[in-house]
Amino acid sequence: MRRAISEYPLAGMVQNYGVALRWAGAAQAPPLRSLTEDEQRGLVPQLAGVALDLAERGLLTAHEGESHSVVAPVLVTGPELHEVLTDPTNWLWTIRPHRRFSLVAPQHVREHWFDAAHPTADTSALPTWDELSVEEREVLVCAAEASGMLTGPFGIWDDPPNGLDSVEHLAWVDRQLAPLLPFVRNGWIEVQHHPDERSDAFTVIPLDGLRTALTDATIRYEGDEWGIGVGCIFTYAGLAVWRGGWSSEWERRLNFD
């Protein structure tokens, strides 16, 4: 329902489900990595059954197409809805899908459940946006964006300069990590390594592994392909904090600038 309220694509939904289980500390959650394709396919019947039940109760719909496209998305109903939701191909992310579907919650459902699906946290004890360092703001905005890349050609962090010895290299990485570490330590941001632009595979880099990972050029990735390297995303707890104050301050400052 959270995905439908935000009108997210159906493709990638199973991976998101696995992440949500891990953040919730569920016993059946995957370890610190993405679900394999076989694991995702094994979960599709369960999730399809839930989606079909919700659709029958009028709590969500499925549409073919994209909301930002010139051509309006088409509502999927009847036998085709069952066919679409029970086909694992439509649930798994791919770089060039043959068909694109999204889950959508009707307006009255969004209005009823939006606050529950997208809670905020009390941020009165936290520093204001202006009190954060530039580097801290960059990390927060990075986590809020769809790409969320820290390293690589489209990341917010520069590659280490050439000619550093091992001690200088570690010191350089430590300075780069400094604004990120408190957010990871608080459980607000999760750091992931993405090894391949053509899949949604990733491994989670835990707090105590960040220093080692970010000193490894193969993990940071210094090539030209998009989506490879180290990225970050908000956990649900981090999203609540972000929505509780910093996002509105950032948007206000962005519009002012």
Side-chain angles (χ1 to χ4, degrees), residues 35-56:
L35 292 166
T36 66
E37 181 174 333
D38 286 344
E39 289 171 333
Q40 291 184 72
R41 288 180 178 275
L43 286 167
V44 167
Q46 173 190 343
L47 296 180
V50 171
L52 286 167
D53 177 65
L54 291 170
E56 289 174 0

Side-chain angles (χ1 to χ4, degrees), residues 53 62-63 80 97 99 106 117 124 130 139 146 152 179 200 212 216 219 236:
D53 177 65
H63 295 248
E80 185 183 13
R99 302 176 71 183
S124 59
D130 288 337
V139 167
D200 60 357
T212 300
D216 188 335
I219 292 179
Y236 287 143

Side-chain angles (χ1 to χ4, degrees), residues 24-214:
Q28 70 272 37
L32 298 180
R33 59 164 175 79
S34 55
L35 292 166
T36 66
E37 181 174 333
D38 286 344
E39 289 171 333
Q40 291 184 72
R41 288 180 178 275
L43 286 167
V44 167
Q46 173 190 343
L47 296 180
V50 171
L52 286 167
D53 177 65
L54 291 170
E56 289 174 0
R57 293 155 60 189
L59 299 177
L60 64 78
T61 58
H63 295 248
E64 181 169 9
E66 299 175 312
S67 58
H68 60 270
S69 174
V70 175
V71 180
V74 178
L75 179 66
V76 181
T77 60
E80 185 183 13
L81 177 62
H82 185 276
E83 181 182 341
V84 166
L85 291 181
T86 56
D87 184 351
T89 303
N90 299 321
W91 288 82
L92 275 60
W93 183 90
T94 181
I95 192 168
R96 292 185 180 87
H98 177 61
R99 302 176 71 183
R100 299 175 186 270
F101 299 97
S102 59
L103 299 177
V104 178
Q107 182 61 32
H108 72 278
V109 174
R110 287 203 298 270
E111 291 174 354
H112 182 70
W113 276 340
F114 186 88
D115 289 341
H118 304 286
T120 60
D122 181 9
T123 58
S124 59
L126 297 177
T128 66
W129 186 255
D130 288 337
E131 291 171 333
L132 295 171
S133 69
V134 172
E135 293 78 13
E136 288 172 324
R137 297 179 207 168
E138 289 176 344
V139 167
L140 290 171
V141 172
C142 181
E145 292 181 335
S147 61
M149 296 306 295
L150 293 166
T151 70
F154 299 93
I156 65 169
W157 287 349
D158 294 331
D159 293 330
N162 296 325
L164 298 180
D165 61 32
S166 59
V167 174
E168 293 171 332
H169 194 179
L170 280 175
W172 192 91
V173 168
D174 285 341
R175 288 193 297 272
Q176 199 169 57
L177 281 172
L180 171 68
L181 294 180
F183 302 135
V184 178
R185 190 175 294 113
N186 288 335
W188 297 343
I189 285 179
E190 179 173 280
V191 181
Q192 301 175 347
H193 173 230
H194 301 267
D196 182 4
E197 66 161 350
R198 295 186 174 275
S199 80
D200 60 357
F202 67 86
T203 53
V204 178
I205 305 175
L207 178 67
D208 59 4
L210 285 171
R211 193 185 195 213
T212 300
L214 268 297

Side-chain angles (χ1 to χ4, degrees), residues 234-256:
F234 279 125
T235 64
Y236 287 143
L239 276 174
V241 173
W242 172 248
R243 295 186 183 111
W246 283 333
S247 65
S248 58
E249 291 189 59
W250 169 62
E251 289 171 359
R252 184 168 57 251
R253 176 58 62 87
L254 188 66
N255 292 332
F256 177 79

